[in-house]
Each structure stands twice: as structure tokens, then as C-alpha cells.
């Protein structure tokens, strides 16, 4: 690391003066970029240029020597770089001249004030209707309110369930996120209407879908639902399976009722009573008997001590009522998959015709973004399904990309339709704004407080979005840049300077795709660099992807999720995804953020050189 040799006071003074001179030169070179941003961001743009300039040096030897003399280690200068350096210079020069004085570390208030103002402009204030209304005496909160705002993804169910939206607001939701990749304008409008009816002002963010690479469709599987009892180690039944036969189809966004393993839709409940016995042949032709244990308005609850494959269209007869049968309604198709092993060949195709579900290679599957075929080259890496399957391009044809699989699970990995495809080595010459995004912006301009910009990769992409918002006279809509590709991470300083021509600007760390692009081993490091850079630019950050996912989806969080949620307090916003237990997840997150308020500000960062970023004119 080069920190073993301690620098003298004179050497530290010379290094700091040289560093300040370099900041002056960088600011002069970046003058046109700084002058182009909105007036309210001018000071922040200047500070961003200073920060990137400082971080291109290895400051660890200087940090170590200063710490040895009891001086500032430079580890918290992000928000006021130039003032911090000048204050440290004054202190070191005073020591060099032999004057005794108490070190002054600089005033963080300016940077904190600007960052807080930008956060409030974009994400709003803490929603006052929370179940645990935030007050000044809450633990970990120094300013009388929770510092990190909570953004929550709206499930489809929210379009027709205002009570769910109300409970989400009461739990502490500050921003409602509507994903334009799902549902449509009619559903979006109903969701937003419910959000606008909440007390206080809960902001609305709308996610553009962007040019996401996904696998194409597979041929449909059978419409079957498998339900089995719980067995002990010796095979005996510990708990019989229990299904509910109902005329209402199951809602995937709703958790199953307690004790129910599946809801099976039927055409008619008929004259069935408690104690009746039902008979059917399942999808395999096996005879099965079910005992009716309860009948209510919700449906017929029946139990069985054998595994049953329920199939669409099959008949369930009532033993007591001759000639009476219940017909099983439309069940979801059994999801099909390719079984991929290391050494297999995958052929990605432009054609999106459904392909067979193969268990032995070679495999074929479509790719929804055919334009990417023009940019891929042999040797480029291809990652599927969040990196679970990794391969490399062997050959690029007009309508196919031939990929050799280099890594899959020990027993093979399942690859399904609509799974992500990442090309970390490929420079994609496709616009971040798709035609579908441009159409969605018409709705966003009149309904949303901010737009989350998916798969943005360059300052040109940012300029494109700004032009569209200006055309739509939507100056009041904030912009959030979602950093989810290697290209976006590496061009983040330039993208921020471009975005700062706009009034309200933020950054979302979309850790799912980003982890695949930069590698899971580097994700934590990259996340830190984004947080530092945005603090230097006084731009609020939203911490996203899989926050308390287990709690939202299954009702129980993992220990790692709780720790991750605690660390998210360092960002100005935290995003939760949807799930049956989303209200409980919001309550848990707001509680964690409140309690962590006083713990995560302490840090001493080692400032090795960052080569990822550059603010030189291109």
C-alpha cells in the first residue's frame, strides 16, 4: 500500500499544496461542464470535479502520516473537498511553523445542507402517517425525522385495493414506485390515485423499462399444480395436504391462507358438505380421494394423504351426490426450462418463436433485444439469470449467437424464459430510451414526481431523457439515474454533470444487474464508490434490489437481509420490492432505519486511487 514510510510535516505540507494546485487546474479545465449545470447545482458540480481529481491519487501514504500526527485523515471530505483540503493545509502549515493550535477539521454543514435539500426536493419529507410516527426523540434520529426515505414497488393488486395502499402509507412508505414494465396506463392511474389520497405527500416514481436483454419464450408446459403432504423421515404422513376449491382464481400477489397449500379454481362449488368425500384422477391417472374438512363462503377445504397433480379440466366427483362433478378451472402453466450444464452450447436467436424445453444440449432460446446481436463479438462474456450461468461467445451469425457455457451448477442450472442476459464486455450501441419508454413518458409527465431511468449508460442517454422531458414540459419531474451496468458506473461523473442541468436529480444503485456486470466480488467496493461520488456531487442515492426480500416475499427475513437493511441507512433512499408481506417489510425497514440513525456516520475511508472515473472532456 505504500504507507509504511511516514512523511514529515514539511512533506505533508508540500503534498497538500500540490493537491490544491491540481484541484485549481482541474476546475479550470472542467469550466465549461460546470457552467452548463443548473445554477442550484453549480457548487455541487465544482465539488464533484474536485472529488474525482483527488481520488485519482493514492492518498493512503498521506492519510497514514497525518493520522500519526493526530490530524484529519481526509476520510470524510466528500461533500466539501476544497474547503477541507484548505483547512488541513492551514493546520499542517501551522505545525510546520511551530505554532501550537487546535486542529480545525472544517465545517461539514454546507455539504450536508445541500445534500439534504436535494434529497427533500427529489424524495420529499418523511410521510407523516406512519404507524410509528417519527418524532425528535426517536432513537438514532438527530433532526426529528428519519433521514432515509422508503420507496416501495406497487404490486398489481394496488390498482384495485386502496386499503393495501393505505396500509403501506401507514407503515411508512414515502415514495410509491410504479414499474412501467408491468401493467398499463389504466392500472398505473388507479395506483397513483390511491397514493395521492394518502395523508401528507407521498411521492410517485415511475420506472422506465429500458432496453433489458431477456431470454425469449419456451414452449408451454402442462397446466398442473402439484400438492403433497408433509412426511416424516420414515415416510409416514405428519400433515395431510390441504387445498381450497374456490370459484375465485388465486391471486399470486396474495399470501395463501394459513394452513392452505394451494387454491384450486373450480367452476362450481355444488352441494358439498363437510364430511363428504371427493374423488378424482390426477394428471398421472392416479386415483385420489379427498376428505372435505370445511365448507365456507371462501370455498371447500379438502385434505389428502397422497401427492396429487391437479390438472386443468379434470373432474372431481362427490361420492355422496351421484352424477355431480366439479371441473378444475384454468391453472397456471408449469414453467418450463432448459437444463444447462458446463460445456453445453446455447444458441441465442433473434427469432422469438417459443423453443422446446431441452434437458441436453445444444439448447436454443430467443433473445428479446435483437439489436444487441450487432455489437457482440467472439470472446465476449455472456451471463444468464443474474450470473447463475456464464459463457463466452464462440461465434456470431446473422440470426444467432453461439455461446459455450463455462460455468453452471454442479447438477446443471435451470434457464427459463424472461431471465436476464448480461453482456459485460460488450458496448451496446442502442439508446437507453426505447420507443415504449418514450410512449410511457407521456403518462409520466402528467402523473409522476420522478422518473427512474433504466439501463442509462452515457451522458448522451441522459441528454436524450432531458430533451424528452423538456418537450413534454415536465420540468417538475425529477430524474433518477439507475446504475446497473459497468458502462453506467464508469461514466457516472459525466452523467451526473449532464443530469445536473436538471432541477431534481438522484441515483439508484440497482445492485442486481450491477453485481452481474462488475462481478459479485466487486459489488461492495463499487457500491462504496458510487456513494462517495454522489456525496461529492450532493446527489441523493437510493439503495435498491433485494432489500428485505425474504421478509416481503415469505414473511421471514434472513440475518444477512437485516444487516443489509441496516447499512442502507447510509443512503438517502431505500427501495423495497413487492411481495405478500410488503406492509410488514415496510414496518421493519422504517424501524431499522430509525434505530441505525446514530451508528453509520462513523467511518475512516482509505483513499486508494480510483481509476473507474474520469471528468476529462471527451
Amino acid at each position: 500500500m505504500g504507507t509504511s514510510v511516514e512523511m514529515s510535516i514539511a512533506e505533508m505540507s508540500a503534498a497538500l499544496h500540490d493537491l490544491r494546485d491540481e484541484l485549481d487546474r482541474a476546475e479550470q479545465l472542467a469550466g465549461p461542464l460546470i457552467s452548463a449545470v443548473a445554477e442550484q447545482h453549480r457548487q455541487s458540480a465544482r465539488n464533484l470535479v474536485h472529488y474525482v481529481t483527488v481520488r485519482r491519487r493514492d492518498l493512503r501514504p498521506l492519510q497514514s502520516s497525518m493520522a500519526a500526527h493526530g490530524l484529519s485523515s481526509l476520510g470524510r471530505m466528500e461533500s466539501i473537498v476544497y474547503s477541507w483540503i484548505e483547512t488541513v493545509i492551514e493546520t499542517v502549515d501551522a505545525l510546520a511553523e511551530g505554532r501550537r493550535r487546535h486542529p480545525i477539521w472544517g465545517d461539514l454543514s454546507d455539504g450536508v445542507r445541500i445534500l439534504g435539500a436535494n434529497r427533500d426536493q427529489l424524495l420529499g419529507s418523511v410521510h407523516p402517517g406512519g404507524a410509528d410516527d417519527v418524532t425528535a426523540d426517536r432513537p438514532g434520529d438527530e433532526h426529528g425525522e428519519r433521514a432515509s426515505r422508503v420507496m416501495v414497488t406497487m404490486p398489481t393488486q394496488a390498482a384495485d385495493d386502496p386499503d393495501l395502499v393505505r396500509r403501506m402509507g401507514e407503515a411508512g412508505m414515502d415514495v410509491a414506485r410504479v414499474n412501467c414494465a408491468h401493467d398499463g396506463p389504466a392500472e398505473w392511474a388507479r395506483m397513483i390515485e390511491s397514493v395521492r389520497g394518502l395523508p401528507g405527500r407521498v411521492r410517485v416514481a415511475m420506472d422506465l423499462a429500458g432496453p433489458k436483454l431477456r431470454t425469449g419464450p419456451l414452449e408451454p408446459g402442462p397446466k398442473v399444480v402439484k400438492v403433497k403432504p408433509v412426511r416424516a423421515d420414515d415416510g409416514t404422513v405428519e400433515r395431510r395436504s390441504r387445498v381450497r376449491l374456490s370459484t375465485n382464481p388465486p391471486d399470486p400477489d396474495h399470501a395463501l391462507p394459513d394452513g392452505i397449500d394451494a387454491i384450486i379454481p373450480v367452476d362450481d362449488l355444488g352441494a358439498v358438505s363437510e364430511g363428504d368425500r371427493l374423488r378424482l384422477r390426477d394428471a398421472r391417472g392416479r386415483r385420489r380421494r379427498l376428505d372435505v374438512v370445511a365448507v365456507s363462503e371462501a370455498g371447500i377445504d379438502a385434505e389428502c394423504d397422497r401427492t396429487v397433480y391437479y390438472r386443468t379440466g379434470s373432474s372431481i366427483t362427490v361420492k355422496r351426490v351421484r352424477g355431480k362433478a366439479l371441473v378444475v378451472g384454468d391453472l397456471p402453466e408449469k414453467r418450463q426450462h432448459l437444463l444447462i450444464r458446463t460445456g453445453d452450447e446455447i444458441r441465442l436467436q433473434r427469432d422469438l418463436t417459443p423453443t422446446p424445453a431441452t434437458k441436453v444440449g445444444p439448447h436454443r432460446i430467443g433473445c428479446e433485444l435483437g439489436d444487441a446481436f450487432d455489437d457482440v463479438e467472439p470472446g465476449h462474456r455472456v451471463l444468464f439469470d443474474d450470473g447463475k450461468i456464464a459463457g463466452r461467445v464462440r461465434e456470431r451469425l446473422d440470426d444467432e449467437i453461439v455461446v459455450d457455457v463455462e460455468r453452471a451448477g454442479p447438477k446443471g442450472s435451470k434457464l427459463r424464459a424472461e431471465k436476464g442476459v448480461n453482456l459485460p464486455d460488450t458496448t451496446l450501441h442502442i439508446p437507453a430510451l426505447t420507443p415504449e419508454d418514450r410512449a410511457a413518458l407521456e403518462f409520466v409527465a402528467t402523473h409522476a414526481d420522478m422518473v427512474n431511468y433504466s439501463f442509462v449508460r452515457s451522458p448522451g442517454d441522459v441528454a436524450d431523457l432531458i430533451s424528452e422531458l423538456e418537450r413534454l414540459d415536465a420540468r417538475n419531474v425529477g430524474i433518477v439515474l439507475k446504475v446497473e451496468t459497468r458502462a453506467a458506473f464508469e461514466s457516472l461523473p459525466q452523467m451526473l454533470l449532464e443530469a445536473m442541468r436538471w432541477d431534481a436529480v438522484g441515483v439508484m444503485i440497482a445492485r442486481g444487474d450491477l453485481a452481474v456486470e462488475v462481478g459479485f466480488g466487486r459489488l461492495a467496493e463499487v457500491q462504496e464508490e458510487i456513494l462517495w461520488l454522489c456525496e461529492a456531487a450532493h446527489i441523493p442515492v437510493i439503495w435498491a434490489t433485494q432489500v428485505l426480500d425474504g421478509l416481503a416475499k415469505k414473511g421471514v427475513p434472513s440475518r444477512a437481509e437485516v444487516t443489509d437493511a441496516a447499512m442502507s441507512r447510509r443512503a438517502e433512499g431505500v427501495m423495497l420490492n413487492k411481495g405478500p408481506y410488503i406492509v410488514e417489510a415496510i414496518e421493519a425497514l422504517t424501524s431499522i432505519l430509525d434505530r441505525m440513525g446514530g451508528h453509520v456516520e462513523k467511518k475512516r475511508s482509505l483513499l486508494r486511487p480510483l481509476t473507474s472515473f474520469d471528468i476529462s472532456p471527451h
Side-chain angles (χ1 to χ4, degrees):
M1 287 178 27
T3 59
S4 57
V5 178
E6 186 177 305
M7 301 168 68
S8 67
I9 295 290
E11 289 171 330
M12 287 192 295
S13 176
L16 288 165
H17 279 274
D18 181 54
L19 182 58
R20 183 178 61 183
D21 292 343
E22 190 172 347
L23 297 185
D24 290 332
R25 290 191 296 272
E27 182 179 342
Q28 185 175 4
L29 286 172
L33 291 173
I34 296 172
S35 61
V37 309
E39 179 63 33
Q40 69 193 66
H41 296 309
R42 201 69 53 81
Q43 181 178 344
S44 301
R46 177 174 175 264
N47 192 68
L48 174 61
V49 170
H50 291 159
Y51 180 73
V52 173
T53 302
V54 167
R55 292 308 310 273
R56 295 188 69 81
R57 286 190 173 202
D58 187 351
L59 296 181
R60 289 174 292 179
L62 180 60
Q63 282 185 283
S64 178
S65 299
M66 293 177 66
H69 288 276
L71 302 174
S72 165
S73 68
L74 305 176
R76 298 210 42 219
M77 65 177 173
E78 292 93 339
S79 61
I80 51 165
V81 175
Y82 200 92
S83 298
W84 196 295
I85 296 295
E86 283 204 314
T87 301
V88 175
I89 287 175
E90 183 180 352
T91 303
V92 172
D93 286 353
L95 288 176
E97 295 171 12
R99 299 199 304 268
R100 295 176 59 86
R101 61 175 280 181
H102 190 277
I104 301 175
W105 305 132
D107 185 3
L108 280 171
S109 60
D110 282 349
V112 171
R113 175 182 53 79
I114 297 171
L115 181 56
N118 288 343
R119 175 203 60 194
D120 293 346
Q121 182 183 15
L122 184 77
L123 300 173
S125 301
V126 169
H127 182 38
D132 296 317
D133 201 8
V134 180
T135 59
D137 59 356
R138 291 294 296 273
D141 193 29
E142 303 167 0
H143 308 290
E145 63 170 32
R146 171 166 34 85
S148 297
R149 311 297 188 246
V150 175
M151 176 184 288
V152 186
T153 302
M154 294 285 100
T156 298
Q157 175 193 354
D160 299 302
D161 191 350
D163 183 63
L164 172 62
V165 178
R166 177 189 59 77
R167 289 188 290 118
M168 293 167 71
E170 290 177 347
M173 174 177 67
D174 303 303
V175 183
R177 171 180 175 255
V178 178
N179 192 346
C180 294
H182 302 290
D183 307 310
E187 291 81 10
W188 304 339
R190 295 200 299 274
M191 292 177 192
I192 293 171
E193 183 181 5
S194 294
V195 171
R196 297 301 190 201
L198 295 173
R201 186 186 177 192
V202 177
R203 301 291 177 98
V204 173
M206 297 194 71
D207 247 47
L208 300 179
K212 172 70 173 178
L213 278 73
R214 293 189 184 277
T215 53
L218 296 170
E219 292 180 354
K223 295 186 175 184
V224 170
V225 170
K226 177 185 177 182
V227 184
K228 62 180 181 180
V230 176
R231 296 184 181 274
D233 291 341
D234 61 1
T236 57
V237 174
E238 288 187 334
R239 184 182 70 81
R240 306 175 83 194
S241 68
R242 184 166 181 165
V243 300
R244 176 166 291 168
L245 307 178
S246 173
T247 54
N248 297 316
D251 186 340
D253 289 329
H254 267 122
L256 289 169
D258 290 341
I260 300 297
D261 298 310
I263 295 178
I264 306 298
V266 292
D267 62 336
D268 179 25
L269 298 182
V272 178
S273 303
E274 185 175 335
D276 280 349
R277 176 163 288 180
L278 308 179
R279 293 178 173 176
L280 77 153
R281 284 185 181 269
D282 74 358
R284 303 167 297 168
R286 306 284 178 84
R287 295 179 184 273
R288 292 292 182 256
R289 294 182 301 182
L290 286 73
D291 296 320
V292 177
V293 296
V295 177
S296 66
E297 291 183 358
I300 301 166
D301 292 357
E303 294 184 345
C304 185
D305 58 5
R306 309 285 294 276
T307 298
V308 184
Y309 286 79
Y310 295 91
R311 179 179 58 191
T312 296
S314 59
S315 296
I316 302 175
T317 60
V318 185
K319 183 179 179 182
R320 180 177 55 83
V321 184
R322 184 179 299 274
K324 179 61 180 176
L326 313 179
V327 179
V328 176
D330 197 32
L331 296 172
E333 293 173 351
K334 192 73 174 178
R335 293 193 68 194
Q336 299 296 285
H337 63 269
L338 310 177
L339 185 60
I340 310 296
R341 296 179 175 84
T342 301
D344 279 357
E345 174 188 290
I346 301 175
R347 289 181 173 260
L348 284 176
Q349 302 178 314
R350 289 185 193 263
D351 186 1
L352 291 178
T353 302
T355 56
T358 49
K359 302 298 186 286
V360 178
H363 309 278
R364 285 179 170 79
I365 194 166
C367 181
E368 290 186 358
L369 194 62
D371 291 344
F373 283 55
D374 299 329
D375 297 320
V376 173
E377 298 292 343
H380 285 187
R381 288 174 295 158
V382 184
L383 307 174
F384 300 89
D385 193 9
D386 291 337
K388 296 182 179 68
I389 301 166
R392 200 171 294 272
V393 176
R394 184 206 317 157
E395 186 180 10
R396 186 190 73 185
L397 306 173
D398 289 341
D399 296 315
E400 281 189 338
I401 298 173
V402 184
V403 179
D404 291 325
V405 177
E406 297 179 340
R407 188 189 72 242
K411 297 182 179 180
S413 296
K414 296 177 180 180
L415 180 60
R416 303 184 188 274
E418 299 183 4
K419 292 299 181 181
V421 181
N422 290 85
L423 305 171
D425 302 328
T426 305
T427 301
L428 297 174
H429 296 92
I430 51 178
L433 273 183
T434 67
E436 294 78 12
D437 293 334
R438 294 180 192 276
L441 277 174
E442 301 277 349
F443 184 96
V444 171
T446 57
H447 290 81
D449 299 298
M450 69 193 80
V451 57
N452 298 336
Y453 197 7
S454 299
F455 297 100
V456 55
R457 298 184 302 276
S458 69
D461 289 335
V462 178
D464 195 9
L465 176 61
I466 289 176
S467 295
E468 281 292 300
L469 292 176
E470 287 176 335
R471 181 183 67 81
L472 296 167
D473 193 25
R475 191 81 200 185
N476 60 318
V477 176
I479 294 173
V480 175
L481 308 178
K482 292 176 66 175
V483 180
E484 48 199 327
T485 66
R486 181 189 294 270
F489 168 65
E490 292 175 350
S491 65
L492 185 55
Q494 297 96 328
M495 291 201 303
L496 287 177
L497 288 169
E498 184 68 34
M500 288 159 76
R501 295 195 291 115
W502 204 245
D503 292 335
V505 181
V507 165
M508 179 183 290
I509 308 178
R511 300 180 299 171
D513 282 286
L514 185 60
V516 177
E517 290 262 333
V518 303
F520 288 91
R522 200 184 169 205
L523 176 62
E525 170 193 0
V526 166
Q527 184 170 274
E528 288 298 304
E529 293 182 15
I530 294 172
L531 286 168
W532 291 335
L533 192 72
C534 290
E535 185 171 353
H538 307 140
I539 294 296
V541 176
I542 300 167
W543 182 295
T545 312
Q546 293 186 323
V547 177
L548 294 180
D549 239 24
L551 176 55
K553 288 183 169 63
K554 300 178 181 178
V556 181
S558 69
R559 294 174 179 86
E561 285 179 352
V562 173
T563 302
D564 177 60
M567 289 300 97
S568 72
R569 169 61 174 74
R570 299 167 59 215
E572 287 69 42
V574 187
M575 193 191 90
L576 290 171
N577 220 323
K578 58 190 177 181
Y581 301 94
I582 187 59
V583 173
E584 291 83 351
I586 299 170
E587 291 172 342
L589 179 60
T590 55
S591 175
I592 291 169
L593 293 175
D594 289 343
R595 292 178 180 278
M596 286 302 297
H599 298 290
V600 297
E601 296 294 331
K602 299 177 182 179
K603 70 184 183 75
R604 176 186 172 213
S605 304
L606 294 178
L607 304 183
R608 65 172 181 77
L610 300 183
T611 57
S612 305
F613 303 127
D614 186 17
I615 41 82
S616 303
H618 291 282

